[in-house]
């Protein structure tokens, strides 16, 4: 699978903090990082970020954390360590509230990455309070990057680590046009790239081919990787790909896709430019589907 030039940095993928694994696993170093007077604490409202007066992520001092909450080591930059509280906030509802969608695109790449890491891990801890092996309570370990079963002395003690769910998100091209679809939950006229979770024992290429056949009834070839994006709703990795088909005939899975169509270069350009007369509304800039369409346009031009 040929790899495209690394020119795309999707939202949430611009992290620069040293995640400092050597500190996570060393209790003495971790304690020193927490006690450092320069240590910062990311302010959160449940799973949503708190912003300062300049529209950036808001930070406090690490000592302001509640003694009832474990701390998550987000990373280290120079002599400053960055933490977030494990508050037990979980996401049982929609992916995010509308106000949050409006602010995501305005965050700098490094701040968006910090927020994505925090949201995914705070949510993961809330969902993994009990051991999947024996059902006993678990406890945070390794600076918030693991949980351990509390029944260590009785023969369990299983370690649990955060998981990322891989998702293929893809375009298919035929005769100079690109396939986009819309789910029932999308706003009117909003179209995006088709996507689906990788299944066990499946390659990225295999997932792209299977999902496009299942959802749109097309058989594709020449799958190419473009870029990837951490997606913290709750914890996915979006793997963007392109492909080619020789037959544009569509047979939709109507439970997944409400509508799908082939769009020309000019139609995609109009949508990406925000033209009100465009035949569809493009994905928002913070979604990797937007980057994928931009990549397709750049290749064509």
């Amino acid at each position: 699978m040929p790899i495209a030039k690394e020119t795309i940095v999707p939202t949430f993928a611009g992290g620069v903090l040293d995640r400092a694994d050597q500190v996570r696993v060393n209790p003495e170093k971790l304690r020193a990082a927490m006690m450092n007077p320069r240590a910062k604490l990311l302010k959160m409202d449940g799973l949503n970020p708190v912003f300062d007066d300049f529209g950036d992520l808001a930070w406090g001092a690490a000592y302001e954390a509640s003694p009832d909450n474990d701390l998550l080591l987000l990373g280290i930059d120079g002599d400053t360590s960055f933490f977030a509280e494990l508050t037990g906030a979980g996401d049982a509802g929609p992916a995010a509230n509308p106000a949050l969608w409006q602010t995501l695109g305005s965050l700098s790449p490094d701040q968006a990455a910090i927020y994505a890491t925090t949201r995914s891990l705070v949510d993961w801890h809330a969902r993994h309070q009990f051991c999947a092996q024996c059902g006993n309570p678990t406890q945070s370990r390794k600076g918030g990057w693991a949980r351990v079963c509390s029944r260590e002395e009785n023969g369990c003690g299983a370690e649990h680590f955060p998981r990322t769910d891989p998702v293929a998100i893809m375009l298919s091209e035929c005769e100079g046009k690109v396939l986009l679809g819309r789910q029932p939950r999308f706003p009117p006229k909003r179209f995006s790239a088709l996507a689906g979770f990788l299944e066990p024992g499946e390659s990225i290429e295999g997932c792209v081919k299977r999902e496009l056949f299942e959802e749109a009834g097309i058989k594709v070839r020449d799958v190419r990787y473009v870029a990837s994006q951490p997606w913290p709703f709750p914890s996915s990795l979006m793997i963007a790909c392109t492909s080619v088909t020789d037959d544009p005939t569509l047979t939709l899975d109507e439970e997944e896709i409400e509508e799908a169509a082939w769009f020309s270069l000019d139609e995609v350009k109009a949508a990406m430019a925000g033209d009100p007369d465009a035949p569809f509304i493009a994905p928002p800039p913070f979604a990797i589907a937007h980057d994928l369409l931009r990549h397709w346009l750049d290749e064509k031009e």
Side-chain angles (χ1 to χ4, degrees):
M1 184 168 58
I3 297 178
K5 292 182 179 179
E6 193 172 350
T7 57
I8 297 174
V9 182
T11 303
F12 307 128
V16 297
L17 285 182
D18 176 4
R19 295 198 174 196
D21 181 68
Q22 73 282 2
V23 175
R24 298 179 199 169
V25 300
N26 187 309
E28 291 184 3
K29 290 183 178 180
L30 183 59
R31 190 176 304 108
M34 292 178 178
M35 299 301 294
N36 186 328
R38 295 186 180 87
K40 293 185 177 183
L41 181 72
L42 181 65
K43 295 183 179 181
M44 294 281 287
D45 177 15
L47 292 177
N48 294 322
V50 175
F51 298 98
D52 63 19
D53 293 338
F54 302 98
D56 296 324
L57 295 178
W59 297 87
Y63 61 74
E64 296 175 358
S66 168
D68 296 329
N69 295 331
D70 291 314
L71 289 184
L72 161 67
L73 176 61
L74 296 169
I76 295 176
D77 183 12
D79 57 0
T80 303
S81 47
F82 297 84
F83 292 90
E85 289 183 89
L86 299 178
T87 59
D91 187 3
N97 63 58
L100 177 58
W101 291 129
Q102 298 299 319
T103 60
L104 290 177
S106 65
L107 288 175
S108 64
D110 59 324
Q111 291 193 56
I114 288 172
Y115 169 65
T117 301
T118 303
R119 182 184 176 101
S120 287
L121 283 168
V122 171
D123 180 75
W124 178 79
H125 279 273
R127 293 171 180 268
H128 291 77
Q129 297 290 305
F130 297 93
C131 178
Q133 185 162 294
C134 73
N136 276 272
T138 57
Q139 300 170 342
S140 175
R141 290 288 188 273
K142 298 183 179 179
W145 290 85
R147 294 191 72 85
V148 177
C149 176
S150 59
R151 202 170 69 99
E152 295 181 68
E153 68 280 0
N154 294 323
C156 184
E159 284 190 294
H160 305 278
F161 297 93
R163 292 291 184 263
T164 296
D165 300 317
V167 178
I169 181 167
M170 53 273 179
L171 299 178
S172 185
E173 181 180 342
C174 184
E175 300 173 353
K177 294 185 176 182
V178 68
L179 176 65
L180 299 174
R182 63 180 311 277
Q183 297 180 2
R185 63 181 177 85
F186 286 5
K189 289 187 66 176
R190 172 82 78 189
F191 279 74
S192 186
L194 275 61
F197 288 97
L198 270 74
E199 296 184 345
E202 187 173 52
S203 67
I204 296 171
E205 298 93 333
C207 180
V208 169
K209 293 177 180 180
R210 175 182 57 78
E211 284 289 340
L212 285 171
F213 183 71
E214 288 178 354
E215 294 189 355
I218 60 172
K219 294 185 177 181
V220 302
R221 56 179 172 81
D222 298 343
V223 176
R224 291 192 301 140
Y225 167 82
V226 176
S228 63
Q229 178 189 39
W231 188 250
F233 305 105
S235 188
S236 297
L237 179 68
M238 309 300 291
I239 305 168
C241 298
T242 60
S243 64
V244 176
T245 185
D246 300 310
D247 183 355
T249 304
L250 300 178
T251 303
L252 301 185
D253 176 355
E254 295 181 356
E255 292 187 3
E256 294 286 338
I257 305 297
E258 184 172 83
E259 185 180 2
W262 296 95
F263 294 98
S264 69
L265 179 67
D266 288 340
E267 289 173 327
V268 173
K269 287 173 66 175
M272 295 290 280
D275 186 340
D277 294 326
F280 71 96
I281 300 173
F286 58 81
I288 198 171
H290 187 98
D291 297 304
L292 194 52
L293 282 172
R294 177 62 58 196
H295 169 81
W296 184 75
L297 288 177
D298 291 344
E299 279 201 331
K300 291 300 173 186
E301 295 180 336

